[in-house]
Amino acid sequence: MPNRTMAMQVLLFIWILMLNAVHGQVSYSIPEEMPKGSLVGDIAQDLGLDGQRLKSGKARIYTGDNAEYIELNKERGVLLVKERIDRESLCGQTTPCALHFQITLENPMELFSVTVEITDINDNAPNFKNNEKRFEISESAIVGSKFVLEKAIDTDIGTNSLQTYTLTPTNNFKLKLESQTDGSRKVEMVLQKPLDREKQENISLLLTAIDGGEPQMSGTFHIHISVLDANDNAPVFTKPLYKAVVMENSAKGSLVTRVSASDEDKGLNGHVNYVISNTDVVSELFRINENGEVILLGEADYEKATTYQIDIEAIDNGGLSDSSKILVDVTDVNDNPPSIDIISRSNSVNENSSPNTAIAIISVNDRDAGDNGHVICSITENLPYAIKSTGSGFYSIVTDSDLDRERESEYNVTVMCADEGSPSLSSSITLSLQISDVNDNAPVFEKSSYEASILENNSPGLSIFTVKARDADSKQNARISYILEESSVNGVPVSSYVSVSADSGIIHALRSFDYEQIKHFNFRVKAQDGGNPPLSSNVSVKIIIQDQNDNAPQILYPVQTGGSVVAEMVLRSADVGYLVTKVVAVDVDSGQNAWLSYKLQKATDRALFEVGLQNGEIRTVRQVTDKDAVKQKLTVVVEDNGQPSRSATVNVNVAVADTFPEVLSEFTDFTHDKEYNDNLTFYLVLALAVVSFLFIVSIIAILSVKCYRWRRERMFYKSSANLPVIPYYPPLYADVGGTGTLQHMYNYEAYSTNDSRKSDLKYARPPTESIISLDSNGTQTFTHAHMGKPAVSDDQVRSRKLCLMTQLIYYT
């Protein structure tokens, strides 16, 4: 075997060993022409894989653009011959001849390289392109003249290839074999004995080509020689070897090189013709004209062959010839862009995948050489992906940073591969990758807190308002349920007040609210998604109860009892605007629903009294006269400002008189038809009895004297100074400026007769009124504010009070 061929085989063997060490390559060797279904090797055992792994990993063979001669039986875990393999069709003269493919697995992704060497068998006999060749040789041809014969072609290799030639008969010619640089042999027929046309004009020879196979095979070629008259000078080439260079993209018809041969003969015997003696693809790619110019007929492709050897002959008209050869080197041109094939890929990846998660494996190949075939691959910038070379033209596309489906749910990953030729050629592919959702976002409410209002006296089940939350996740991870968090309002679970719809977030009232009992309350609502584990957030909700005018005003004073009637006293000497009493009312509603107004509905004498619209004060509108009835009955209506308004009425009894006997006679009539509380009567009788006992003993001696003086003073007051009537007010109410309540503190004392049902009298002390009171030591006091009248001496006041008390006790 030639040294060059042996060196190539050694380098290829070392390369296979390196691949096997780096990538875990498995190698097999099988002869060509094996029948379909023949066993190649136990791939599962050789790769150390479980047979079940081949199934679960969806094992398959990747061959790229090459035909698939080997198939994988996943059930048995073996490689079988899929198609008949003809080594000569597959590799030609290349040795060794091998099939290279990859086995890919998924979940997780794995890649194994497999090499199957195809060994040659002696299935081809040596063959000549032509069956015969004719020579015209001058009889003057000198001994040693050489005649180039057609070479046989044996597509087998090694010992099965062409080994030798034989020429028969050998009377005039012998066979000369000369090895050439491409490993073939140059076959020449050498004249070893001068020709004599007169003895033998035509000579027939048989050239036999024999291979070294077992059994041995051969092919024959017939040589017909016509002996001509003398042409004793053969052409001679100027060089035994010509060299030329051609670009692989050179146009058809381009001049490759020029050769020259000379013949010392003259005339027709000195005319030289040039021919190419190659019988292979070279004769179809090149031609030589009569001027020795070698012309390119086809397309020189560096990827198919890097060099060509052209065998040329120079033949004169006498049949004499010389031979030479031309070595044509093909220069590579960057005319092939990188080829990208997807071996395995994923359509989606979880957003919480760790960096360096593989999403695809690709194969990249460039048929050019040198820098023209050196490829660099990259991924579009600003994408969370990277491409990594795994050697031998294979690349992995992996995640390069954290993914977030909520930021980007889909990526189009464009892989760009460019060679380093000039100009550079490139190819690209685009992979669409979906980002699968992971529950990494909690629901978020649209507001940081909610506040809503509802009118009191609502219907149970009424929808108040809606809370709304959003979840940036998708599908089940974004399905939100609303939950009412447990808490209490005034010791009562909030779940008895409101409920929240789990799906819609609508908050419903579970009961009818009363503003007077509860004005507002707070609770929290939780929004929880459907992920696993679920995520949640909560929000504070405040419900404000709005007031409705559902309460009528309540009369605080005058007190309406079941057994007696309060009577207010107005002296006949009272001036215009005299404050008789004040109607005090409240409304438990709020706002304008609690704004009260007072109106006089009915009165015994409407011309005598009026009621303050805002403050409820009953005052005289004219001077009291002796003609006015002692018994005056007023009906006052108290209305709120609600819509619609509500009201309450109160009857106020007013006694117009100057003396207590006169008042008591009329007062008795007021209470004839009244019922009185028995318990109150008992306590009042008991209290009055004790008071009477204490006072009668101590003051009865001086009453008669004081009474005389009081009568004289009474005549004076009738003419010059009218005393105000004693009004009666309840205790402990505050006046808020016309809203219907009193501002000051009032005290009152009750005095009754033995028949307490008919004698309930109350004395109050407003700031501008007179009060009759009894001290704890039995001393009576009488306080008077003038309201613009002349002052009265203390003795006069004291005398009048004592006289009034005497009359009261007397009538009692």
Side-chain angles (χ1 to χ4, degrees):
M1 182 179 294
N3 293 334
R4 182 177 179 181
T5 302
M6 181 177 295
M8 290 177 63
Q9 290 180 345
V10 171
L11 290 175
L12 181 60
F13 179 73
I14 294 174
W15 178 76
I16 291 174
L17 289 179
M18 290 176 65
L19 280 178
N20 189 52
V22 175
H23 303 288
Q25 178 176 344
V26 177
S27 300
Y28 300 98
S29 178
I30 61 172
E32 66 175 329
E33 304 294 342
M34 290 183 70
K36 183 178 179 180
S38 298
L39 177 65
V40 176
D42 190 341
I43 188 65
Q45 178 179 349
D46 295 336
L47 291 178
L49 298 176
D50 185 4
Q52 187 63 30
R53 171 64 178 135
L54 296 177
K55 297 177 185 178
S56 63
K58 299 180 181 179
R60 64 186 181 90
I61 291 178
Y62 171 77
T63 61
D65 295 333
N66 300 322
E68 187 173 341
Y69 293 97
I70 306 298
E71 66 179 355
L72 174 63
N73 188 318
K74 288 186 274 190
E75 297 294 331
R76 297 168 54 193
V78 297
L79 296 177
L80 304 176
V81 175
K82 183 177 181 181
E83 297 291 341
R84 185 185 70 86
I85 303 174
D86 184 5
R87 192 206 64 79
E88 288 74 25
S89 299
L90 183 63
C91 299
Q93 294 297 309
T94 302
T95 182
C97 179
L99 296 174
H100 301 282
F101 55 89
Q102 290 75 36
I103 295 178
T104 64
L105 297 174
E106 298 179 2
N107 300 322
M109 292 183 183
E110 294 183 281
L111 182 69
F112 302 94
S113 296
V114 180
T115 300
V116 178
E117 182 181 2
I118 310 301
T119 59
D120 184 55
I121 63 173
N122 192 27
D123 58 340
N124 294 282
N127 182 44
F128 292 91
K129 183 177 181 180
N130 300 306
N131 293 328
E132 62 181 17
K133 185 173 182 179
R134 296 183 179 275
F135 290 94
E136 291 182 347
I137 303 175
S138 174
E139 63 179 346
S140 62
I142 61 176
V143 175
S145 298
K146 297 180 287 184
F147 304 92
V148 178
L149 302 179
E150 181 178 336
K151 293 185 289 185
I153 299 174
D154 191 342
T155 55
D156 293 328
I157 61 173
T159 58
N160 295 325
S161 65
L162 177 64
Q163 298 295 318
T164 186
Y165 294 87
T166 61
L167 182 66
T168 56
T170 58
N171 296 330
N172 297 97
F173 297 91
K174 68 176 181 179
L175 194 63
K176 181 182 179 182
L177 302 178
E178 181 180 353
S179 297
Q180 295 184 308
T181 57
D182 61 349
S184 63
R185 290 186 179 185
K186 182 178 181 181
V187 183
E188 293 179 323
M189 180 177 64
V190 181
L191 182 63
Q192 64 177 352
K193 182 179 178 181
L195 298 177
D196 187 355
R197 189 190 63 81
E198 288 72 26
K199 291 183 178 180
Q200 189 176 9
E201 185 176 357
N202 296 303
I203 302 173
S204 294
L205 302 176
L206 181 63
L207 178 65
T208 302
I210 305 171
D211 65 19
E214 186 66 31
Q216 198 173 57
M217 304 180 74
S218 63
T220 58
F221 178 77
H222 294 277
I223 304 170
H224 302 283
I225 300 174
S226 297
V227 181
L228 303 177
D229 282 340
N231 180 23
D232 53 358
N233 291 289
V236 177
F237 279 102
T238 57
K239 293 180 181 180
L241 176 65
Y242 294 89
K243 292 184 178 182
V245 176
V246 63
M247 301 290 291
E248 69 169 321
N249 61 351
S250 297
K252 295 179 181 179
S254 299
L255 176 64
V256 178
T257 188
R258 180 180 286 108
V259 298
S260 177
S262 61
D263 193 324
E264 294 182 358
D265 292 328
K266 294 185 178 187
L268 293 177
N269 291 330
H271 182 74
V272 179
N273 295 312
Y274 300 94
V275 295
I276 295 176
S277 60
N278 297 74
T279 58
D280 51 11
V281 68
V282 173
S283 62
E284 299 175 358
L285 189 59
F286 302 96
R287 74 177 179 87
I288 188 170
N289 60 23
E290 61 183 7
N291 297 320
E293 296 174 342
V294 179
I295 308 300
L296 182 66
L297 295 179
E299 180 180 348
D301 191 349
Y302 179 86
E303 286 69 45
K304 292 181 180 179
T306 60
T307 184
Y308 294 95
Q309 179 175 297
I310 305 175
D311 294 328
I312 55 176
E313 289 183 70
I315 305 173
D316 62 19
N317 289 334
L320 298 179
S321 65
D322 191 15
S323 63
S324 184
K325 56 187 175 183
I326 306 173
L327 292 180
V328 180
D329 292 326
V330 180
T331 303
D332 182 46
V333 174
N334 191 27
D335 57 348
N336 292 283
S339 173
I340 306 174
D341 294 320
I342 300 175
I343 297 178
S344 183
R345 61 166 295 180
S346 297
N347 294 321
S348 64
V349 61
N350 288 337
E351 63 175 323
N352 63 346
S353 297
S354 60
N356 293 321
T357 299
I359 63 171
I361 297 177
I362 62 174
S363 172
V364 182
N365 180 47
D366 193 318
R367 298 173 61 193
D368 294 321
D371 290 341
N372 295 332
H374 186 259
V375 178
I376 298 176
C377 294
S378 62
I379 288 181
T380 308
E381 294 182 358
N382 300 324
L383 291 181
Y385 301 96
I387 186 168
K388 296 183 178 180
S389 175
T390 59
S392 299
F394 293 97
Y395 294 85
S396 294
I397 301 174
V398 299
T399 57
D400 188 44
S401 61
D402 294 334
L403 304 177
D404 187 354
R405 189 204 66 84
E406 289 70 42
R407 184 177 64 245
E408 196 73 38
S409 62
E410 180 180 5
Y411 289 96
N412 290 322
V413 182
T414 300
V415 180
M416 176 72 71
C417 295
D419 59 31
E420 295 184 343
S422 181
S424 176
L425 299 179
S426 63
S427 299
S428 66
I429 59 170
T430 299
L431 305 175
S432 294
L433 185 66
Q434 300 289 333
I435 307 301
S436 300
D437 185 48
V438 173
N439 190 29
D440 56 351
N441 290 278
V444 177
F445 283 95
E446 293 179 345
K447 297 181 179 180
S448 59
S449 63
Y450 289 87
E451 183 175 295
S453 60
I454 181 174
L455 288 173
E456 66 172 330
N457 304 315
N458 59 284
S459 300
L462 178 67
S463 172
I464 304 177
F465 75 108
T466 302
V467 295
K468 192 69 175 178
R470 301 186 182 278
D471 196 312
D473 294 320
S474 66
K475 297 181 180 179
Q476 184 66 23
N477 294 331
R479 183 177 180 181
I480 299 176
S481 298
Y482 300 93
I483 302 169
L484 181 66
E485 292 191 351
E486 287 298 329
S487 61
S488 62
V489 179
N490 297 331
V492 178
V494 72
S495 57
S496 65
Y497 283 83
V498 293
S499 67
V500 60
S501 173
D503 296 328
S504 63
I506 299 175
I507 295 178
H508 295 87
L510 296 182
R511 62 167 63 181
S512 179
F513 296 110
D514 187 354
Y515 175 82
E516 287 69 44
Q517 294 182 0
I518 182 172
K519 293 179 174 54
H520 63 82
F521 61 93
N522 298 280
F523 58 91
R524 299 185 72 83
V525 175
K526 180 171 70 175
Q528 179 173 289
D529 61 28
N532 186 19
L535 301 178
S536 63
S537 62
N538 51 36
V539 69
S540 175
V541 179
K542 181 179 182 179
I543 303 297
I544 300 174
I545 312 301
Q546 293 183 340
D547 182 49
Q548 281 188 317
N549 193 27
D550 58 343
N551 292 281
Q554 298 177 10
I555 306 298
L556 300 180
Y557 183 82
V559 178
Q560 304 294 296
T561 63
S564 64
V565 175
V566 175
E568 306 295 340
M569 183 176 177
V570 177
L571 296 176
R572 293 187 183 276
S573 60
D575 286 338
V576 176
Y578 177 78
L579 177 62
V580 178
T581 186
K582 185 173 184 178
V583 177
V584 180
V586 295
D587 195 319
V588 295
D589 293 323
S590 65
Q592 66 179 10
N593 294 329
W595 296 351
L596 302 181
S597 60
Y598 302 84
K599 298 178 182 178
L600 183 61
Q601 186 181 44
K602 293 188 298 183
T604 303
D605 187 353
R606 298 185 67 89
L608 182 57
F609 302 101
E610 68 175 359
V611 178
L613 180 65
Q614 302 298 328
N615 56 23
E617 293 179 348
I618 301 176
R619 295 180 180 271
T620 58
V621 296
R622 63 175 175 81
Q623 184 71 42
V624 182
T625 64
D626 293 338
K627 296 180 181 180
D628 290 326
V630 175
K631 179 180 178 181
Q632 297 283 338
K633 185 174 182 180
L634 309 179
T635 301
V636 178
V637 176
V638 183
E639 289 185 345
D640 59 27
N641 198 37
Q643 292 294 331
S645 64
R646 293 175 177 269
S647 64
T649 61
V650 61
N651 294 323
V652 179
N653 297 304
V654 179
V656 179
D658 287 329
T659 62
F660 274 98
E662 186 179 3
V663 173
L664 291 176
S665 63
E666 296 296 335
F667 181 69
T668 303
D669 295 337
F670 279 126
T671 60
H672 279 167
D673 55 350
K674 304 292 184 177
E675 291 184 3
Y676 199 76
N677 186 283
D678 292 338
N679 292 332
L680 180 60
T681 301
F682 171 77
Y683 291 118
L684 289 174
V685 170
L686 180 62
L688 287 174
V690 174
V691 171
S692 299
F693 176 78
L694 293 176
F695 281 112
I696 290 173
V697 174
S698 62
I699 67 173
I700 196 162
I702 63 174
L703 285 180
S704 57
V705 177
K706 294 296 183 181
C707 183
Y708 173 75
R709 295 177 62 184
W710 177 79
R711 287 183 181 274
R712 292 180 62 187
E713 293 171 354
R714 180 172 176 271
M715 296 301 294
F716 170 78
Y717 284 113
K718 276 188 176 182
S719 61
S720 61
N722 293 324
L723 292 174
V725 179
I726 302 174
Y728 308 97
Y729 292 93
L732 303 179
Y733 287 99
D735 186 359
V736 293
T739 61
T741 59
L742 292 177
Q743 175 173 320
H744 306 287
M745 302 297 291
Y746 292 86
N747 297 323
Y748 69 91
E749 297 183 11
Y751 304 86
S752 65
T753 63
N754 292 333
D755 186 6
S756 62
R757 293 180 178 270
K758 301 180 180 180
S759 53
D760 183 9
L761 183 62
K762 297 182 179 180
Y763 298 86
R765 185 177 59 187
T768 61
E769 307 299 330
S770 299
I771 293 178
I772 297 177
S773 63
L774 184 63
D775 297 335
S776 60
N777 56 7
T779 303
Q780 299 179 10
T781 60
F782 181 84
T783 305
H784 175 69
H786 295 282
M787 297 180 64
K789 296 296 181 177
V792 181
S793 66
D794 292 340
D795 291 340
Q796 291 174 336
V797 173
R798 191 179 302 108
S799 298
R800 183 183 178 189
K801 289 171 61 179
L802 290 174
C803 186
L804 288 173
M805 286 295 296
T806 303
Q807 292 181 357
L808 179 61
I809 296 171
Y810 175 79
Y811 285 104
T812 301

